[in-house]
Amino acid sequence: MSHDLFEAARDAMGKAYAPYSKFPVGAAIRAEDGRVYVGANIENLSFPQGWCAEPSAISAMIMGGAHRIREIAVIAEKLPLCTPCGGCRQKISEFSSPDTRVYLCDDQGVQKTVTMAELLPYAFDTDVIG
Ligand code: THU
């Protein structure tokens, strides 16, 4: 992966609104249109109402007119190699493939690459129903 996705995720993390957890997270998606869409976590005083960086980036992607995640980078300043939470894995899965690469970053760059199949094995899939 070129550095641009890491840098985009890191810049997005700088815009996180995380006054309660103090755990800023950034995500950057390269979509099928080749463009990069970013997001950060946005918390709320009513704690369950906050949301993660990954759905912020997915929302930006959808509103930008794209629908497929080619690759995605995630970064959290306080946790090197922050993996997407369970709910985020399901949300990413909706717009990606088992071989979609997920880049886990630290402040230096991408430190580990995993696939969606590794992150979300036995993903919920209704194809068998027909
Ligand atoms: N968070 C994310 O943005 N993405 C994840 O995949 C894990 C958790 C956020 C949610 C909350 O604002 C903060 O990290 C602490 O859980």
Side-chain angles (χ1 to χ4, degrees), residues 42-66:
I42 301 173
E43 298 181 347
N44 192 279
L45 178 60
S46 176
F47 299 157
Q49 301 302 330
W51 64 90
C52 289
E54 296 90 331
S56 287
I58 290 171
S59 177
M61 177 186 77
I62 295 295
M63 296 318 294

Side-chain angles (χ1 to χ4, degrees), residues 21 23 25 41 43 52-54 83-85 88:
S21 72
F23 190 87
V25 184
N41 52 333
E43 298 181 347
C52 289
E54 296 90 331
T83 51
C85 74
C88 286

Side-chain angles (χ1 to χ4, degrees), residues 9 25-28 53-54 72-76 82-84 92 102-106:
V25 184
E54 296 90 331
I72 176 170
V74 180
I75 182 169
C82 176
T83 51
I92 296 166
V102 181
Y103 303 114
L104 309 177
C105 305
D106 66 10

Side-chain angles (χ1 to χ4, degrees), residues 97-100 115-122:
S97 310
D99 62 354
T100 297
T115 65
M116 276 309 292
E118 290 171 315
L119 275 185
L120 191 63
Y122 303 102

Side-chain angles (χ1 to χ4, degrees), residues 29-33 35-38 54-69 91-92 94-96:
I29 291 168
R30 194 182 328 276
E32 83 274 17
D33 61 0
R35 293 182 57 195
V36 172
Y37 298 95
V38 300
E54 296 90 331
S56 287
I58 290 171
S59 177
M61 177 186 77
I62 295 295
M63 296 318 294
H67 291 87
R68 297 301 296 171
I69 299 172
K91 292 182 178 83
I92 296 166
E94 182 77 17
F95 304 102
S96 65

